[in-house]
Amino acid sequence: MNDLKRMEDFYAQKDKQAWSIFGCYPFFLDCKQTYIMRKILEHKAKDNNRLLDIGAGEGNFILKMISFGFIPKNITAIEYLKDRANVLRKKLSDIKIIRDDFLNVELDNSYDVITIMAVLTSITDNEIRYRLFEKSLTYLSSGGVLVLYDYFDDNEIFITQDYRAVSLQKIELLAKNYKIQTYKRVYIKSKYAKGLCMIGLQSLIPLLESLKIFNDKYHFIVITNEK
Ligand SMILES: C[S@@+](CC[C@H](N)C(=O)[O-])C[C@H]1O[C@@H](n2cnc3c(N)ncnc32)[C@H](O)[C@@H]1O
């Protein structure tokens, strides 16, 4: 089965399920992601920058970027899955939405901010996902930043049959002509976070996270085009 077909079947099931029964856990992840993205983008002008979100899902991340000051008409979202693209259209009527495989898309613009959030892990075919990453770099404007958020492990382990870790070494090699900064191991392992949330001790999460030893291999990678 090809990777896009596998993904289609997987998300068709997944989108029917509530993804967490522990209410505070998704909230906690969201606050943390917002905090890190703010930090990454603090020196970027938001009001006239062009943003490209590849594998936009249902647009939650784009809503966050709009709350940071990005302007809908400057935002392009690419999403392969039809159902998810439809949700995007309903939620975000003012942005440009392209329903297609990014590898088939030709864009006219370059972008000041490109985001690829939790997308590469969900493409388990190595050839395809690194090709997607390389292609995304070609749309980065001079001075632009590309932000990758994913689960990294150089052994490219299968986390489940639908998710495969990304190799940081490979990303560094493919982006060797760019400046690369990493925010490593930014999240505590979800089993600890969920456990703490269940017993009402979620306030301990930031403390445990700062120790890093309980953290998972989720990294934010910031790639800047200095050319
Ligand atoms: C785990 S979801 C992440 C969604 C969103 N970025 C977020 O953080 O909420 C991965 C998304 O990437 C999309 N995707 C994967 N490969 C793609 C491709 N080649 N072209 C466009 N979208 C793709 C999938 O359809 C899926 O919606």
Side-chain angles (χ1 to χ4, degrees):
M1 197 186 341
N2 82 31
D3 221 41
L4 287 171
K5 175 75 183 104
R6 177 199 54 75
M7 222 163 50
E8 217 166 326
D9 294 346
F10 171 63
Y11 284 110
Q13 282 310 311
K14 186 169 180 264
D15 286 348
K16 285 187 204 146
Q17 301 157 5
W19 75 278
S20 170
I21 50 170
F22 308 109
C24 69
Y25 179 59
F27 176 70
F28 151 77
L29 289 183
D30 189 62
C31 292
K32 182 77 185 287
Q33 193 176 61
T34 304
Y35 170 77
I36 296 173
M37 281 307 292
R38 271 196 200 285
K39 227 167 127 176
I40 292 173
L41 296 172
E42 72 192 347
H43 301 300
K44 278 246 146 240
K46 319 287 186 303
D47 48 358
N48 58 5
N49 268 335
R50 280 197 295 258
L51 166 71
L52 173 66
D53 190 31
I54 302 171
E58 296 187 348
N60 293 342
F61 186 69
I62 292 178
L63 285 171
K64 190 171 299 184
M65 299 299 270
I66 291 172
S67 77
F68 292 175
F70 282 87
I71 295 179
K73 72 173 173 49
N74 294 337
I75 299 177
T76 301
I78 302 185
E79 172 51 48
Y80 174 71
L81 297 176
K82 206 165 147 201
D83 289 350
R84 288 188 158 199
N86 286 341
V87 174
L88 262 175
R89 286 195 184 96
K90 279 191 197 130
K91 265 194 199 162
L92 290 153
S93 54
D94 297 342
I95 70 167
K96 179 172 178 191
I97 296 166
I98 302 173
R99 209 292 298 167
D100 205 344
D101 174 358
F102 174 60
L103 290 175
N104 290 335
V105 172
E106 289 307 324
L107 298 163
D108 300 330
N109 291 317
S110 63
Y111 292 83
D112 309 301
V113 178
I114 299 179
T115 46
I116 310 179
M117 309 296 281
V119 175
L120 297 183
T121 36
S122 66
I123 305 170
T124 56
D125 182 319
N126 266 342
E127 201 248 311
I128 294 176
R129 62 185 180 163
Y130 294 120
R131 194 141 54 86
L132 184 147
F133 172 68
E134 274 188 292
K135 180 171 177 179
S136 67
L137 284 174
T138 64
Y139 290 113
L140 196 55
S141 66
S142 170
V145 294
L146 185 152
V147 182
L148 272 186
Y149 161 72
D150 245 314
Y151 186 97
F152 285 85
D153 183 311
D154 284 330
N155 297 318
E156 294 168 326
I157 50 161
F158 274 89
I159 306 155
T160 69
Q161 64 173 7
D162 296 297
Y163 292 114
R164 188 173 186 181
V166 182
S167 161
L168 180 55
Q169 267 183 36
K170 223 166 254 173
I171 294 293
E172 284 172 342
L173 188 69
L174 296 172
K176 64 179 185 302
N177 297 326
Y178 297 76
K179 179 179 159 198
I180 303 180
Q181 295 157 278
T182 55
Y183 294 73
K184 282 192 173 175
R185 291 177 174 268
V186 288
Y187 286 118
I188 192 169
K189 286 194 167 86
S190 63
K191 64 179 176 192
Y192 298 131
K194 286 178 182 173
L196 288 168
C197 288
M198 261 175 92
I199 55 175
L201 290 179
Q202 59 274 15
S203 51
L204 289 181
I205 292 175
L207 175 70
L208 289 182
E209 263 183 352
S210 65
L211 301 175
K212 298 252 175 188
I213 49 174
F214 301 108
N215 288 6
D216 238 332
K217 294 179 180 172
Y218 285 98
H219 306 343
F220 277 83
I221 314 288
V222 186
I223 295 167
T224 308
N225 184 2
E226 294 187 310
K227 287 173 253 170

